[in-house]
Amino acid sequence: MYDWFKQMRKESPVYYDGKVWNLFKYEDCKMVLNDHKRFSSNLTGYNDKLEMLRSGKVSFDIPTRYTMLTSDPPLHDELRNLTSDAFNPSNLPVDFVREVTVKLLSELDKEFDVIESFAIPLPILVISKMLGISSDVKKVKDWSDLVALRLGRADEIFSIGRKYLELISFSKKELDSRKGKEIVDLTGRIANSNLSELEKEGYFILLMIAGNETTTNLIGNAIEDFTLYNTWDYVREKGALKAVEEALRFSPPVMRTIRVTKEKVKIRDQVIDEGELVRVWIASANRDEEVFKDPDSFIPDRTPNPHLSFGSGIHLCLGAPLARLEARIALEEFAKRFRVKEIVKKEKIDNEVLNGYRKLVVRVEKVYS
Ligand code: CPZ
């Protein structure tokens, strides 16, 4: 993959594959992400259907087609503003994140799968707390697998199976139970907003699910990177703040994102028509030799580190501060307790967009200090 990216950056940085325009250079990727007027996120027609939705004319549809991920301003800003303060660093449940981390780690010893025993439950337990829902890790993980891969995709028709219907009825039940009540959690905030019922369900499901897979992958990828590139002693000494940024750059949980052109545009020497799909290769931008010195080396204290792993511009990941907090605490607490002696087994998840491990078994020794 990274050899292909390097070749494309050099030989064909704006490449049409018959369906989609692919961008590989940092400068081009960043330009597209920062220009929401010409490069739209309205991939599912949410902005166009808004009046229909709000007037109750759309009753049966797929709620996850209607989230801020696939919307343009002013709708996007209205949606984002509804919950944005909860994700700002000063309002995050820092103590709870540490509490859950310490509890999960206290149950581990010798040899274990860090994905199943640590990187999956941590983000699920934290977002459950913020939403005020009971934290059934297995159920939420199942739903995350079902939905995460389809979020932000224009090209895939949903098949609504039994599990998806269960997810919708769970979200309806949680939302209904908070209507007209005092707002004490994020679910209450959504339930008592001006959105239509379908949009509320989409919003709730987005918050419950979007950060799970991605944060699991961030933690898993960082554990692998820190092991392969001997970063653990650095983390024990200096903390994980910068090393997490380098893991984000080097092994991004989301490899690419997509926009649609609102008008005819020119990128480098290529003319792209209105209504064309543009694929932004985050993972390639993060290795662009014009921006990052020695891009294929993992440098834990790399400064500055302007990676695009959380995007850029108005859609810059809302959950980024939470993901950073969870990853930093998870990796610092892990480093305090364990020395990774060996990665015993690893299996990548099978997906083109999401990058991480389904299984990452490590053998560890306890750190005595
Ligand atoms: C992005 C892309 C896909 C799934 C999930 C996400 C995401 C962004 N932030 C959280 N989750 Cl395909």
Side-chain angles (χ1 to χ4, degrees), residues 69 144 147-153 206 209-215 253-257 309-310 315 317-320 351-354:
L69 285 188
S144 301
V147 174
L149 311 177
R150 299 161 190 222
L151 278 174
R153 287 191 68 158
L206 177 71
I209 276 166
N212 293 341
E213 201 100 15
T214 44
T215 309
V254 179
M255 298 289 279
R256 65 186 199 209
T257 187
S309 298
F310 288 124
H315 287 273
C317 182
L318 174 61
N351 189 267
E352 287 188 4
V353 179
L354 298 180

Side-chain angles (χ1 to χ4, degrees), residues 22 75 127 135 145 260 296 316:
N22 289 264
L75 171 60
I127 196 66
S135 35
D145 287 345
V260 58
D296 296 321
L316 180 74

Side-chain angles (χ1 to χ4, degrees), residues 43 55 114 206 256 297 306 335:
L43 295 149
S55 62
V114 293
L206 177 71
R256 65 186 199 209
S297 297

Side-chain angles (χ1 to χ4, degrees), residues 33 50 93 96 158 168 201 214 227 241 253 267 279 323 334 367:
L33 294 174
L50 191 58
F96 184 76
F158 257 98
I168 294 173
E201 291 159 24
T214 44
T227 305
L241 194 72
I267 308 180
R279 179 177 287 153
F334 187 98
V367 173

